[in-house]
Amino acid sequence: MYPKLGQMKEVLVTIQSVYQYLEKLGPKKSFQILKNLGYEKLLSLTGKVPKERLIVLTQKLSEDTVVELVKQIPEKVLVEMIRENEDEDLVYFIHSLPMADLALVSRSIPPHDVGLLAKTLGRETSVEILKTLGIEKSIALLKEIPMKDFLWLVDEVQVGPVIQLVNELSVADCKKWIKQRGLEELPVLIKFFGVSNAIQIFKKLGMSKALEMMHLLGTREMLELSLLLSGMQLEEKNMPAIAMLKPNDLSAKNKTKSAPKKKQIPKKKKVSKR
């Protein structure tokens, strides 16, 4: 069957866009891109992305980078990346991250979220977060925390303290905290203790015991107790020189020892006289 008139017109417009796109790039660059990607790939891409945007992006990137970008990132994701992010942000991400990392981020974090991150915190800060925490850790955490909640946390306590805290905690600890306490209390704890003291508490107690204490005392009571202790005149030299017994050991020691059973002497059987 022959294609309909509307479909033919659409194909012709797309082909025209391809040629206009290649013409704007100059013969050398357009030839390399066409050679490495193939006409069909370009035809498909120019039919889904505005020609002007493709031209601007390609002009700011080397032909090798353009080819790698198209080859390593699925077309559907790449189209969404271009749609959801500004040209300058995209170019900065592409130049700042290794292609393998960029491809992993694009496949793991929705392009809309990446665009929101860049628009809210700036592209430089966004890349700093990804690099400081590591790509895999950043992806793991952003799968647990909706982007809007992460941006709320950053707005409450600033980027530096959030990066410092998360960088010191394992992904498992972060997940455990998020699952049991959420994010709402973190700004309260960081502002009250300071991020360095909060990290020391987590390291001293371990995440499980810290969560147990929060559950047992409640947030308000724990803060009040901490404030009370901070005002006491305590001397490290008054700490006992020997390690205190653990509660289990202490209770075991205080148990009264059961008296040993006396051996019963078997009674002699009476011999009946005949």
Side-chain angles (χ1 to χ4, degrees), residues 10-265:
E10 186 179 339
V11 170
L12 289 172
V13 169
T14 305
I15 293 172
Q16 186 182 12
S17 295
V18 173
Y19 278 110
Q20 288 176 348
Y21 165 70
L22 293 172
E23 186 182 7
K24 289 282 185 180
L25 299 180
K28 183 183 177 182
K29 199 168 192 176
S30 60
F31 175 76
Q32 289 296 329
I33 291 174
L34 186 59
K35 177 185 174 183
N36 287 290
L37 291 182
Y39 184 76
E40 289 184 2
K41 192 76 174 175
L42 274 179
L43 188 66
S44 177
L45 194 58
T46 51
K48 296 171 183 173
V49 178
K51 179 186 73 223
E52 294 75 17
R53 293 210 61 195
L54 272 180
I55 291 169
V56 170
L57 285 171
T58 311
Q59 285 175 337
K60 293 183 178 182
L61 302 170
S62 69
E63 53 264 33
D64 290 339
T65 302
V66 172
V67 171
E68 283 301 305
L69 196 66
V70 176
K71 283 185 174 181
Q72 292 205 32
I73 298 176
E75 185 182 274
K76 183 180 178 182
V77 177
L78 183 58
V79 169
E80 194 176 350
M81 278 176 62
I82 296 172
R83 186 188 304 122
E84 295 290 346
N85 292 272
E86 301 292 335
D87 292 338
E88 293 299 326
D89 293 341
L90 272 175
V91 171
Y92 185 83
F93 280 132
I94 293 167
H95 283 153
S96 301
L97 296 173
M99 188 59 68
D101 289 346
L102 184 66
L104 183 59
V105 169
S106 69
R107 290 194 300 267
S108 306
I109 304 175
H112 173 74
D113 285 355
V114 176
L116 185 60
L117 187 70
K119 288 171 189 172
T120 308
L121 301 181
R123 50 182 174 265
E124 293 87 356
T125 302
S126 302
V127 169
E128 180 191 354
I129 291 172
L130 293 172
K131 284 186 171 182
T132 304
L133 298 181
I135 299 298
E136 292 185 1
K137 188 172 187 178
S138 301
I139 290 171
L141 291 175
L142 287 174
K143 283 183 177 178
E144 298 293 323
I145 310 170
M147 181 59 73
K148 61 182 180 61
D149 293 344
F150 176 76
L151 292 173
W152 170 82
L153 181 63
V154 169
D155 186 56
E156 289 289 317
V157 296
Q158 302 306 312
V159 176
V162 172
I163 293 178
Q164 188 181 350
L165 179 65
V166 176
N167 204 30
E168 291 291 336
L169 300 177
S170 67
V171 173
D173 282 343
C174 292
K175 286 183 178 180
K176 195 179 292 185
W177 178 276
I178 293 165
K179 185 177 180 181
Q180 294 191 32
R181 306 299 300 188
L183 294 180
E184 294 79 6
E185 292 171 325
L186 276 178
V188 176
L189 296 177
I190 292 174
K191 288 175 184 178
F192 183 83
F193 290 111
V195 67
S196 297
N197 290 332
I199 289 170
Q200 286 184 13
I201 291 170
F202 286 134
K203 283 187 173 181
K204 178 65 179 176
L205 296 177
M207 184 56 70
S208 295
K209 285 188 178 179
L211 286 167
E212 285 176 14
M213 183 178 289
M214 293 279 290
H215 179 71
L216 180 66
L217 297 177
T219 307
R220 178 74 186 182
E221 288 77 6
M222 193 191 75
L223 298 181
E224 289 176 350
L225 178 61
S226 301
L227 190 62
L228 178 65
L229 292 172
S230 68
M232 293 181 178
Q233 299 297 322
L234 304 174
E235 297 277 347
E236 189 175 353
K237 64 182 180 181
N238 293 331
M239 290 275 290
I242 57 172
M244 297 296 290
L245 290 172
K246 293 180 181 178
N248 291 341
D249 297 336
L250 191 62
S251 60
K253 190 173 181 180
N254 289 337
K255 283 182 180 177
T256 55
K257 294 181 180 179
S258 56
K261 293 181 179 179
K262 293 181 179 180
K263 290 183 179 180
Q264 292 183 354
I265 301 172

